[in-house]
Amino acid sequence: MRHLLDLCKRRGFLFQSAEIHGGLRGAYDYGPLGVELKRNVSQEWWNSMVYGRSDVVGIDTAIITPPAVLKTSGHVDQFTDEMVDSRLSMDRFRPDKAPALKMDDRNRIPITAPDKDTAKKWEHLIRTQFAKGAIITRSGKEIQLQVDRLEKDRIVLAKDPASDNNAMPASDSSTLNIPYNGYVDPNSNSPFLTESRPFNLMFKTYLDPIDPTDKIITATLEAQQTSSDLTATRQLVDKTLYPSLTYLRPETAQGVFINYMTVQRSHPHLRIPFGIAQIGKSFRNEIRLEHAIFRTPEFEQMELEYFVAPWQAEEQFTSWRKSRIDWWKTYARNHDHIRERPHAQDELAHYSKGCVDVEYLFPWGWGEVEGIANRSDFDLDKHAEATGIKLQYTDAVLMQERQKREKETGQKETRVEVLDRERYTPHVVESSCGLNRAMLALMLDAMVVVDEDGQEVPFNIEDEGEDSKSSSNRKGLRTVMKLHPRLAPIKVAVMPLVSNNSDLVAICTDITNHLRQELTVNVALEMQSTTIGKRYYRMDEIGTPWCITVDYDTPKDGSVTLRQRDTGEQKRVPISEVLTLVQNGLRIRPRGLNRLQEELTAQASIKE
């Protein structure tokens, strides 16, 4: 992960937002290469979900959302996480994501501070406030607490006999019992925690020309004139602010649901099953921001809401599960780093009929990159109930067939099972993919370190034993970003063998402009005044699939050197064939089939 983040900053994929002003925690800016990669990932998702199908259309809904929408969907009342504070570090975290207590082989709890000075302060707090009389030692930035025994809901620390000489009141003996709910501070392993409490994840904002702070002050002063009750004051403040209250949407899905009827009416050719896709930003006031762009307060979602008949839901859920895992395997190299994880029954939302996460094996463990869910008819039913508008689907074909039968037979259809198939509230199968997480997973999946022979080297080679040379001491090690060609920020780099030769530069410029015009992709004119090998390696590091080199023979024979990133193989090809070879290489195909390499091999055999 450190290797990737260093590369991202150095090469222009990802920057800390507002870094020159000290940065903003959890906020990142995408540089020239990062914005291209992000755009390519989202475009491939859109190609698959919308352009590759005739039953899905796109939509782009507003980010600022009125409270009524999110009240109806349950986000105002239920979109919360449990939050816990560490009494030592003051860090906040979700208990369901926190690890269990770790103890060393001497039955001690090791608590790790950021540095020695902090460790001294923490030790003082533990001795004087959190565990008076406990056996405590410290070594550098690590504090050790001796444990007597671990019980179901508490940790009993061993008591220091010397503490009996301090004339401590008997009530202080209780400080040796630490409540334990199965988790500790993820960063320090500290068991000294607050009680968990709910925390709403949505960002509030206000559409009002009047500063809401003024309204808060005025309402508070008015409330305090009649009562000192804080609950009553809060209620009055909330009531005063409510007319201008809005939220930054926590998900893109609700914008689709509230536009379901509008889309259906404006596109009458859409028949069940059909889908509405959207890519857009969402905002969540996350308790814990971690792993760079994996968990941030501002992120982008790629979501599909696929509307189906109730009796189609299970089949479509299964179908979309397969479709989405296949999509991931198309663009990822390491298929063993991708898995499906069905949700256990106690994980499911109360309205959900089933949910599966697509997970990627990140350096810190398995993490969700996409969720596929059978949401039933919950969302449309709730919005219909709140607005009084029936968000139903009418099957005009079935209705006309019934009416025709009734006319022919003279008998009115009364069977419920028949009528219910004509008009019903659709169920929804949802695919929700995090664009930022997808980008991070695909970069980690593509990044390899190779030696001077082009052989991949493990990132943890320095840990393989004393006889192994560390990666920093081995010669010729370099990074290659083996992204799928369609995801690569730069598809082709065109470079003269010598950068100050005007004739070669002119040919490079012509080739670059031709490829840009015909392929409509990002083609780089690489003019750095360094060796051709270093320019190749720079392009390998940022994931460019092909490099085209114009040399002194090009004006004579009309040929260039075409170099392939993953193999390093170079072939001499006519300029007129470069476009076709690159086009073939950019076609969607199962990972591992190198169409461009096949073309070059076939071409070489024909010449021979």
Side-chain angles (χ1 to χ4, degrees):
M1 189 67 178
R2 289 192 300 269
H3 191 97
L4 175 64
L5 294 179
D6 174 67
L7 186 154
C8 284
K9 184 175 182 180
R10 180 163 42 85
R11 292 302 189 194
F13 282 93
L14 196 66
F15 306 127
Q16 178 72 42
S17 184
E19 186 173 21
I20 64 173
H21 289 279
L24 178 64
R25 191 172 69 95
Y28 291 88
D29 298 331
Y30 293 83
L33 295 179
V35 74
E36 290 293 333
L37 175 58
K38 187 151 72 91
R39 178 180 175 276
N40 291 342
V41 173
S42 64
Q43 189 60 57
E44 290 307 299
W45 184 90
W46 196 263
N47 289 345
S48 172
M49 292 298 213
V50 182
Y51 293 164
R53 306 176 64 97
S54 58
D55 59 348
V56 176
V57 295
I59 197 172
D60 186 6
T61 64
I63 288 173
I64 297 177
T65 308
V69 173
L70 298 171
K71 179 73 173 177
T72 300
S73 65
H75 285 84
V76 171
D77 298 322
Q78 301 174 17
F79 195 58
T80 59
D81 279 339
E82 290 295 306
M83 178 175 66
V84 171
D85 292 342
S86 169
R87 293 185 182 275
L88 291 177
S89 67
M90 302 303 172
D91 287 344
R92 288 176 173 171
F93 59 91
R94 287 172 52 180
D96 62 323
K97 300 293 184 181
L101 178 73
K102 293 180 181 177
M103 292 197 293
D104 62 19
D105 54 6
R106 297 171 61 181
N107 211 37
R108 300 181 304 180
I109 300 173
I111 299 176
T112 305
D115 51 60
K116 291 182 180 180
D117 290 339
T118 304
K120 292 179 181 179
K121 294 177 182 177
W122 287 5
E123 181 188 8
H124 177 72
L125 285 173
I126 295 171
R127 288 186 182 278
T128 59
Q129 297 184 32
F130 303 144
K132 297 178 182 179
I135 298 177
I136 303 171
T137 57
R138 178 174 54 82
S139 176
K141 62 179 184 179
E142 186 175 275
I143 304 164
Q144 298 93 21
L145 302 180
Q146 188 66 49
V147 175
D148 180 75
R149 63 186 183 276
L150 182 63
E151 299 182 356
K152 182 179 179 181
D153 58 352
R154 65 176 181 166
I155 303 166
V156 181
L157 298 180
K159 190 172 182 180
D160 186 353
S163 66
D164 292 334
N165 301 326
N166 296 333
M168 292 170 53
S171 60
D172 280 353
S173 63
S174 64
T175 58
L176 294 182
N177 296 327
I178 304 172
Y180 180 61
N181 295 308
Y183 54 84
V184 293
D185 180 351
N187 291 328
S188 67
N189 194 47
S190 169
F192 302 108
L193 310 172
T194 65
E195 293 290 329
S196 64
R197 58 197 186 280
F199 172 79
N200 195 284
L201 299 176
M202 291 194 296
F203 284 104
K204 291 180 179 180
T205 188
Y206 299 91
L207 286 179
D208 198 323
I210 300 175
D211 187 345
T213 305
D214 295 337
K215 291 186 174 182
I216 293 171
I217 294 172
T218 302
T220 302
L221 293 174
E222 289 179 359
Q224 290 179 346
Q225 289 177 358
T226 57
S227 173
S228 60
D229 182 20
L230 291 180
T231 301
T233 301
R234 177 58 187 263
Q235 290 175 347
L236 181 59
V237 170
D238 288 343
K239 182 179 179 181
T240 303
L241 293 177
Y242 189 80
S244 59
L245 172 65
T246 58
Y247 292 93
L248 300 184
R249 66 184 180 194
E251 64 177 24
T252 59
Q254 296 306 317
V256 174
F257 295 134
I258 61 177
N259 279 284
Y260 159 76
M261 187 62 72
T262 306
V263 172
Q264 185 185 347
R265 286 173 177 169
S266 61
H267 289 67
H269 67 280
L270 291 174
R271 296 189 60 198
I272 290 286
F274 72 88
I276 302 175
Q278 179 171 203
I279 299 176
K281 287 197 173 185
S282 296
F283 302 83
R284 294 181 186 178
N285 194 11
E286 294 282 3
I287 298 167
R288 186 175 180 84
L289 307 173
E290 57 186 356
H291 309 311
I293 58 174
F294 180 81
R295 190 184 304 280
T296 57
E298 175 184 342
F299 59 98
E300 288 186 67
Q301 288 181 290
M302 305 183 293
E303 288 198 318
L304 171 74
E305 308 303 329
Y306 199 69
F307 300 93
V308 302
W311 54 89
Q312 297 172 331
E314 191 59 38
E315 178 185 353
Q316 288 293 341
F317 176 57
T318 302
S319 175
W320 277 107
R321 283 179 56 179
K322 180 181 184 306
S323 174
R324 293 309 301 152
I325 201 71
D326 287 347
W327 184 88
W328 279 97
K329 289 182 177 179
T330 297
Y331 295 99
R333 299 170 60 246
N334 302 295
H335 292 181
D336 57 334
H337 287 187
I338 300 170
R339 74 178 185 185
E340 279 190 327
R341 188 187 69 83
H343 280 209
Q345 194 63 37
D346 59 355
E347 289 183 275
L348 293 175
H350 62 88
Y351 56 82
S352 178
K353 302 299 183 183
C355 186
V356 170
D357 286 344
V358 177
E359 295 184 330
Y360 182 80
L361 184 57
F362 290 95
W364 59 88
W366 291 99
E368 178 193 353
V369 290
E370 180 170 354
I372 301 97
N374 179 355
R375 295 180 68 114
S376 71
D377 58 356
F378 172 81
D379 299 279
L380 293 182
D381 264 351
K382 284 296 181 182
H383 287 295
E385 180 183 326
T387 62
I389 298 173
K390 291 185 177 180
L391 301 178
Q392 292 187 317
Y393 175 78
T394 301
D395 193 320
V397 174
L398 289 180
M399 183 177 292
Q400 290 170 3
E401 289 175 353
R402 172 182 58 80
Q403 291 172 345
K404 182 179 179 181
R405 288 196 307 272
E406 289 177 340
K407 186 175 182 181
E408 290 174 350
T409 62
Q411 295 181 350
K412 192 172 182 63
E413 180 65 72
T414 58
R415 289 175 296 175
V416 175
E417 63 271 19
V418 174
L419 297 176
D420 282 350
R421 284 179 174 258
E422 291 182 10
R423 184 179 286 110
Y424 51 82
T425 301
H427 285 219
V428 176
V429 176
E430 177 185 75
S431 164
S432 178
C433 181
L435 175 53
N436 314 75
R437 290 187 180 188
M439 177 179 167
L440 182 62
L442 291 167
M443 290 185 74
L444 285 165
D445 181 79
M447 184 179 63
V448 298
V449 172
V450 300
D451 60 21
E452 55 191 1
D453 297 322
Q455 299 299 311
E456 292 190 20
V457 175
F459 281 97
N460 61 342
I461 190 171
E462 64 270 19
D463 300 325
E464 292 181 353
E466 295 180 0
D467 296 334
S468 297
K469 296 179 181 179
S470 71
S471 58
S472 59
N473 293 329
R474 289 179 56 140
K475 294 181 179 179
L477 291 185
R478 60 190 183 86
T479 304
V480 180
M481 190 71 73
K482 295 186 177 182
L483 290 164
H484 191 289
R486 293 179 70 93
L487 301 181
I490 297 174
K491 300 294 189 290
V492 185
V494 184
M495 56 189 73
L497 185 64
V498 180
S499 299
N500 59 2
N501 185 300
S502 59
D503 293 335
L504 301 186
V505 170
I507 296 173
C508 287
T509 303
D510 289 341
I511 295 173
T512 301
N513 291 337
H514 179 65
L515 291 175
R516 286 173 177 169
Q517 182 177 359
E518 295 298 322
L519 295 174
T520 321
V521 296
N522 193 9
V523 180
L525 179 58
E526 176 57 76
M527 295 292 293
Q528 283 193 352
S529 56
T530 185
T531 65
I532 195 71
K534 287 184 178 179
R535 282 184 273 170
Y536 283 157
Y537 288 175
R538 178 181 180 276
M539 286 296 160
D540 287 348
E541 191 174 40
I542 64 177
T544 304
W546 303 289
C547 290
I548 297 171
T549 304
V550 174
D551 56 30
Y552 293 114
D553 290 330
T554 301
K556 303 173 186 177
D557 61 12
S559 295
V560 294
T561 299
L562 184 63
R563 178 182 180 274
Q564 210 270 347
R565 175 198 65 204
D566 293 350
T567 64
E569 189 169 355
Q570 302 179 36
K571 292 286 185 179
R572 195 77 181 168
V573 298
I575 293 176
S576 59
E577 296 180 10
V578 167
L579 176 63
T580 301
L581 291 172
V582 173
Q583 280 179 324
N584 288 339
L586 287 173
R587 289 175 181 167
I588 286 291
R589 61 194 185 280
R591 190 77 191 216
L593 294 179
N594 193 325
R595 187 75 58 83
L596 179 59
Q597 193 60 40
E598 291 173 359
E599 293 275 0
L600 293 173
T601 303
Q603 192 177 84
S605 63
I606 290 172
K607 288 182 179 180
E608 290 174 1

